[in-house]
């Protein structure tokens, strides 16, 4: 769990009075026989989910990043496939013409010949 | 010159993927911009109508015998909302002045004081309330919903809401005297 007042400071090392009170409260709850889960639930209810070091176990918490990563991976894969395709075609077609001649230059030369 | 079509190179990301990427990036930018705007906004500003909220109340600190209070039920009254915590040393500077102001305005029935206890533990909060002899309605800011709505930057902070539910003044930090509190309430009673 994290300090409610200082940002990103773990509760067990935070020197503020608020955290000292929270540590005392946790100690009291533990001596009363409350489980870790019950204590966490109490703190979330009282102070909000931001005090937890991990987000609450909700479907959306994990679903959204998973879908985003999957979507990104698919887009990258598709992108790479599209980038690779033309270069493979060019490489296959090259031996048919003059090996060192660009197809665009060949087209241009052909046009010039026609004009003459 | 005869027109011959030169086949365009087929390199690049397809249109649908480009649209998705740009929409995603634009969405990301909007989220970042909204976050920055919210961070720079500060507290809610005077002139704004304060939305309804529910404050659960500690036992012995109820309002008119009820264990929770709704802001919308207080229309027609001046509402003084004070954010505090037992661990907050500056809050102690104003605690007695707030209680004195409450004892002055309570008989008029036109002013309500609400103490919103920010990220506090109840036993310590009760010790604090008893120490300063506070008698007005007080309760915890459950899940920090109220302080998030007001966008408080810390404690103590005090918000003065007029009879129409419009925020009139925000006090950041402790009051130095009871006169400072009166100076904000009296104009709202005219």
């Amino acid at each position: 769990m994290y300090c409610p007042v200082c940002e990103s400071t773990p509760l067990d090392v935070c020197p503020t009075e608020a955290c000292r009170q929270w540590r005392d409260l946790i100690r009291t709850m533990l001596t009363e026989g409350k489980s870790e889960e019950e204590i966490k639930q109490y703190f979330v209810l009282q102070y909000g989910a931001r005090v937890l070091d991990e987000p609450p176990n909700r479907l959306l918490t994990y679903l959204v990043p998973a879908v985003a990563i999957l979507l990104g991976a698919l887009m990258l894969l598709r992108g790479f496939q599209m980038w690779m395709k033309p270069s493979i075609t060019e490489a296959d077609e090259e031996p048919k013409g003059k090996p060192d001649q660009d197809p665009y230059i060949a087209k241009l030369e052909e046009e010039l010949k026609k004009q003459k | 010159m005869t027109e011959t079509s030169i086949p365009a190179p087929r390199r690049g990301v397809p249109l649908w993927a480009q649209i998705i990427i740009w929409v995603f990036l634009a969405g990301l930018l909007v989220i970042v911009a909204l976050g920055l705007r919210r961070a720079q906004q500060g507290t809610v500003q005077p002139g704004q109508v304060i939305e309804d909220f529910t404050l659960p109340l500690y036992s012995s600190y109820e309002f008119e015998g009820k264990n929770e209070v709704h802001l919308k039920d207080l229309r027609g009254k001046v509402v003084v909302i004070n954010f505090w915590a037992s661990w907050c040393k500056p809050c102690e500077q104003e605690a007695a002045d707030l209680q004195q102001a409450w004892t002055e305005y309570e008989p008029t029935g036109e002013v309500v004081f609400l103490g919103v206890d920010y990220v506090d533990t109840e036993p310590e909060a009760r010790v604090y309330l008893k120490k300063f002899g506070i008698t007005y309605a007080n309760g915890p800011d459950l899940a920090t919903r109220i302080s998030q709505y007001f966008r408080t930057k810390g404690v103590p902070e005090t918000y003065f809401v007029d009879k129409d539910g419009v925020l009139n003044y925000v006090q950041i930090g402790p009051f130095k005297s009871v006169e400072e509190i009166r100076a904000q309430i009296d104009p709202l009673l005219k």
Side-chain angles (χ1 to χ4, degrees):
Chain A
M1 284 179 30
Y2 278 83
C3 174
V5 186
C6 327
E7 275 186 23
S8 308
T9 309
L11 181 64
D12 55 341
V13 295
C14 183
T16 62
E17 182 63 15
C19 282
R20 190 198 58 75
Q21 289 180 5
W22 278 27
R23 287 194 292 268
D24 286 349
L25 182 63
I26 291 169
R27 215 168 284 133
T28 308
M29 291 173 93
L30 285 170
T31 53
E32 284 170 356
K34 298 255 168 61
S35 69
E36 189 182 327
E37 203 48 48
E38 284 173 321
I39 294 170
K40 279 184 178 173
Q41 275 177 6
Y42 171 83
F43 273 81
V44 168
L45 184 75
Q46 290 289 315
Y47 311 109
R50 69 187 178 128
V51 302
L52 298 176
D53 54 357
E54 276 180 33
N57 198 2
R58 291 193 199 112
L59 185 67
L60 270 183
T61 313
Y62 297 101
L63 194 68
V64 171
V67 169
I69 290 168
L70 195 70
L71 205 69
L74 280 174
M75 274 166 28
L76 274 175
L77 190 72
R78 179 91 177 129
F80 281 129
Q81 280 176 343
M82 295 300 287
W83 290 324
M84 294 297 283
K85 260 184 192 169
S87 58
I88 292 165
T89 316
E90 279 166 19
D92 289 346
E93 284 171 356
E94 235 171 49
K96 289 176 188 170
K98 293 173 188 173
D100 56 341
Q101 196 161 21
D102 188 292
Y104 295 100
I105 294 170
K107 282 270 179 197
L108 188 68
E109 281 177 353
E110 196 183 321
E111 285 292 316
L112 286 169
K113 274 178 197 168
K114 280 178 189 170
Q115 273 193 331
K116 283 173 191 173
Chain B
M1 184 179 162
T2 53
E3 277 189 25
T4 51
S5 58
I6 299 168
R10 293 197 303 151
R11 287 167 194 266
V13 184
L15 188 64
W16 64 268
Q18 284 186 39
I19 290 169
I20 289 175
I21 290 167
W22 283 111
V23 167
F24 183 75
L25 284 175
L28 211 63
L29 277 176
V30 168
I31 291 167
V32 171
L34 286 175
L36 282 174
R37 197 178 146 210
R38 190 180 158 82
Q40 288 175 341
Q41 254 179 341
T43 63
V44 285
Q45 293 300 302
Q48 193 174 327
V49 176
I50 300 301
E51 282 175 23
D52 183 38
F53 63 78
T54 303
L55 176 68
L57 299 169
Y58 291 135
S59 61
S60 308
Y61 294 92
E62 291 96 347
F63 177 73
E64 294 177 344
K66 292 173 195 158
N67 59 5
E68 59 179 31
V69 63
H70 305 272
L71 186 68
K72 67 174 167 48
D73 296 341
L74 303 177
R75 282 285 167 94
K77 292 180 180 186
V78 173
V79 185
V80 180
I81 304 162
N82 175 249
F83 288 87
W84 65 279
S86 66
W87 43 262
C88 157
K89 287 293 163 192
C91 298
E92 295 183 359
Q93 292 173 32
E94 64 171 13
D97 291 333
L98 281 166
Q99 177 57 28
Q100 192 186 329
W102 169 240
T103 52
E104 286 175 21
Y105 289 104
E106 186 187 7
T108 67
E110 288 184 280
V111 183
V112 175
F113 276 46
L114 296 178
V116 183
D117 189 12
Y118 176 74
V119 290
D120 210 350
T121 47
E122 190 173 337
E124 278 81 3
R126 285 186 175 281
V127 169
Y128 178 98
L129 291 169
K130 202 174 172 187
K131 180 181 172 186
F132 293 100
I134 291 166
T135 57
Y136 52 86
N138 257 285
D141 180 15
L142 283 187
T144 65
R145 283 190 204 100
I146 304 172
S147 52
Q148 280 185 52
Y149 169 72
F150 280 90
R151 299 194 297 273
T152 60
K153 296 293 170 197
V155 278
E157 282 184 17
T158 309
Y159 296 76
F160 293 80
V161 181
D162 71 13
K163 291 178 177 181
D164 298 320
V166 177
L167 181 65
N168 187 267
Y169 179 75
V170 181
Q171 169 76 24
I172 306 288
F175 290 104
K176 290 179 182 70
S177 66
V178 72
E179 285 77 24
E180 282 187 6
I181 303 169
R182 281 194 211 112
Q184 299 307 326
I185 297 174
D186 289 343
L188 301 178
L189 293 172
K190 285 169 189 166

